[in-house]
Amino acid sequence: MSAPENSDKHLWISWEEYNRLIERLALVVHQSGWKFDKILCLARGGVRVGDVLSRIFDVPLGILATSSYREAAGTVQGQLDIAKFITITRGTLDGRVLLVDDMVDTGLTFARVQEHLVTQYPAITELRSAVLWWKGHAKVEPDYYIDKLPTNPWIHQPFEDYDSLRPHQLEAWVRKGTQS
């Protein structure tokens, strides 16, 4: 089954395309010549992106949980929550840090997280940001991005089906997948 057609209001992304976008983002960051010590990804959307980038660049990965899209199966932005602690694989959050997420939508999350990091982690000497998508209405510009989306479409990422899938539905879901 193929995805619906892309439009100014909807952008449909397959797993294959999603993975290529991450690889292209890694290349853009690499070609910039900027050297960084650690990657901090924003959970949930930036986890997959951050994981791949930390493997490619062979640097420690930190995870900061944030949440604002909780209503209506993750389609409505609400109040932003930022976790109190960061999980990181080696050391502490310091030096040159690449902040990674899947997108800059309104820019609210990025702006608040950057303020939080500057205040709470003074050992960060330089902070840059990288995303797959930068929406046109965003109030914040990322340092690195792949696609600027001036019409602000809803991005249908390949994992969004899991936002509304519940454990009691898994058996039918798995059975449906094996019949395709």
Side-chain angles (χ1 to χ4, degrees), residues 38-56:
K38 296 179 176 131
I39 291 174
L40 178 65
C41 66
L42 299 183
R44 295 186 312 187
V47 172
R48 291 167 185 86
V49 181
D51 175 57
V52 173
L53 292 181
S54 76
R55 292 169 189 268
I56 290 172

Side-chain angles (χ1 to χ4, degrees), residues 69 77 103-108 134-141 148-154:
Y69 283 90
Q77 188 172 26
M103 74 181 79
V104 173
D105 189 345
T106 64
L108 172 67
W134 175 28
K135 290 194 176 183
H137 64 194
K139 305 285 189 245
V140 175
E141 180 177 346
K148 181 162 186 187
L149 305 171
T151 62
N152 309 308
W154 182 261

Side-chain angles (χ1 to χ4, degrees), residues 54-180:
S54 76
R55 292 169 189 268
I56 290 172
F57 288 100
D58 193 26
V59 297
L61 175 65
I63 300 170
L64 176 61
T66 61
S67 178
S68 65
Y69 283 90
R70 289 181 295 274
E71 302 300 319
T75 62
V76 177
Q77 188 172 26
Q79 180 177 332
L80 175 65
D81 294 323
I82 300 174
K84 187 174 181 178
F85 300 104
I86 291 174
T87 300
I88 191 159
T89 53
R90 289 193 305 258
T92 59
L93 195 62
D94 58 5
R96 295 176 310 270
V97 176
L98 181 63
L99 178 62
V100 175
D101 204 354
D102 54 351
M103 74 181 79
V104 173
D105 189 345
T106 64
L108 172 67
T109 299
F110 252 53
R112 291 267 315 280
V113 166
Q114 287 174 328
E115 285 174 24
H116 173 78
L117 293 174
V118 168
T119 304
Q120 300 297 316
Y121 297 89
I124 294 175
T125 57
E126 189 174 0
L127 182 65
R128 293 192 187 178
S129 57
V131 298
L132 302 176
W133 301 284
W134 175 28
K135 290 194 176 183
H137 64 194
K139 305 285 189 245
V140 175
E141 180 177 346
D143 295 293
Y144 309 104
Y145 64 94
I146 296 303
D147 289 328
K148 181 162 186 187
L149 305 171
T151 62
N152 309 308
W154 182 261
I155 302 168
H156 298 273
Q157 298 188 52
F159 45 81
E160 76 177 15
D161 288 338
Y162 298 113
D163 288 335
S164 58
L165 180 67
R166 297 298 169 253
H168 68 277
Q169 300 166 314
L170 281 172
E171 188 174 348
W173 176 265
V174 170
R175 201 170 37 250
K176 180 180 104 177
T178 59
Q179 295 169 358
S180 299

